[in-house]
């Protein structure tokens, strides 16, 4: 997408309670959010989310995943956000009864905040590469996978078979969240 929105609050693509399959996209405007998926069903695969030149979260989701739908990020490349912003911030979607968001075989190149931030969100995180997450003046943590509760809903996250390199924390579970952390490789954690 070469001419996506020119505001730091308006995304290039917004899927609100809809269904979308997005494949092989590259975003040309690095000064506005790339994708918002709010209460949607989606598959986002083989996309390039470049390093941002303005302060915003490149990918944002609220309201979990649409009933009967799916929420999959597969084999994407994520550049760094500008400032104290998460690369992906996702809220909502708990088992049983709700589909959960999945991150499979993606590459995250860095952040001064969290790479994945899940609040009140159950998730499956497998086969990803997480690089260079370091708190740089941020009042928050800088973790590859992080999250807290949202309106009393906590997160249960399965993190399996990932590579974490040069991060402050591989995972931060706070405010009642529960993580299953299996067969991951963590190198150069500060």
């Amino acid at each position: 997408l070469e001419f996506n929105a020119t505001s730091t609050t308006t995304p290039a693509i917004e899927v609100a309670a809809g269904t979308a399959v997005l494949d092989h996209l590259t975003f040309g405007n690095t000064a506005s959010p790339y994708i918002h998926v709010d209460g949607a069903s989606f598959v986002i695969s083989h996309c390039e989310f470049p390093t941002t030149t303005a302060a915003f979260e490149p990918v944002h989701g609220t309201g979990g995943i649409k009933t009967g739908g799916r929420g999959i990020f597969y084999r994407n490349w994520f550049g760094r956000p500008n400032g104290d912003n998460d690369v992906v911030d996702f809220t909502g979607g708990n088992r049983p009864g709700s589909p959960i968001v999945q991150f499979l075989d993606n590459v995250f190149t860095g952040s001064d905040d969290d790479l994945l931030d899940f609040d009140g969100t159950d998730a499956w995180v497998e086969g990803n590469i997480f690089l260079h997450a370091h708190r740089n003046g941020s009042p928050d943590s800088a973790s590859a996978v992080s999250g807290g509760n949202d309106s009393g809903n906590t997160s249960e996250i399965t993190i399996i078979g990932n590579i974490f390199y040069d991060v402050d924390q591989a995972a931060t579970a706070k405010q009642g969240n529960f993580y299953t952390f299996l067969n991951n490789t963590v190198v150069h954690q500060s």
Side-chain angles (χ1 to χ4, degrees):
L1 295 174
E2 191 170 337
F3 301 105
N4 49 303
T6 57
S7 159
T8 58
T9 58
T10 303
I13 297 173
E14 182 166 355
V15 184
T19 300
V21 175
L22 306 171
D23 186 60
H24 285 90
L25 296 178
T26 300
F27 296 86
N29 180 359
T30 58
S32 61
Y34 303 135
I35 294 177
H36 285 186
V37 283
D38 300 326
S41 175
F42 58 89
V43 176
I44 299 171
S45 63
H46 301 98
C47 294
E48 180 181 339
F49 298 89
T51 295
T52 68
T53 55
F56 58 84
E57 293 172 333
V59 178
H60 191 81
T62 61
I65 297 165
K66 186 164 114 175
T67 301
R70 57 190 171 179
I72 300 171
F73 291 88
Y74 177 67
R75 292 195 174 175
N76 300 293
W77 184 90
F78 294 89
R80 294 179 63 91
N82 189 301
D84 302 329
N85 286 291
D86 305 316
V87 175
V88 177
D89 189 327
F90 202 89
T91 304
N94 296 103
R95 293 172 283 206
S98 177
I100 65 168
V101 67
Q102 301 172 56
F103 287 84
L104 309 168
D105 300 335
N106 300 285
V107 176
F108 298 87
T109 62
S111 178
D112 293 339
D113 204 328
D114 300 318
L115 296 170
L116 295 177
D117 187 7
F118 300 119
D119 293 319
T121 305
D122 291 351
W124 187 276
V125 179
E126 182 176 0
N128 301 283
I129 299 173
F130 296 99
L131 306 168
H132 315 299
H134 295 288
R135 186 174 158 224
N136 185 17
S138 169
D140 200 2
S141 64
S143 300
V145 180
S146 181
N149 71 38
D150 179 65
S151 302
N153 294 316
T154 58
S155 303
E156 292 184 17
I157 301 171
T158 300
I159 304 168
I160 187 167
N162 300 283
I163 296 172
F164 300 89
Y165 177 80
D166 189 36
V167 296
D168 285 355
Q169 292 92 26
T172 301
K174 55 190 174 186
Q175 299 173 331
N177 285 0
F178 180 84
Y179 295 176
T180 301
F181 196 84
L182 299 169
N183 298 324
N184 296 288
T185 301
V186 181
V187 178
H188 196 253
Q189 179 184 350
S190 57

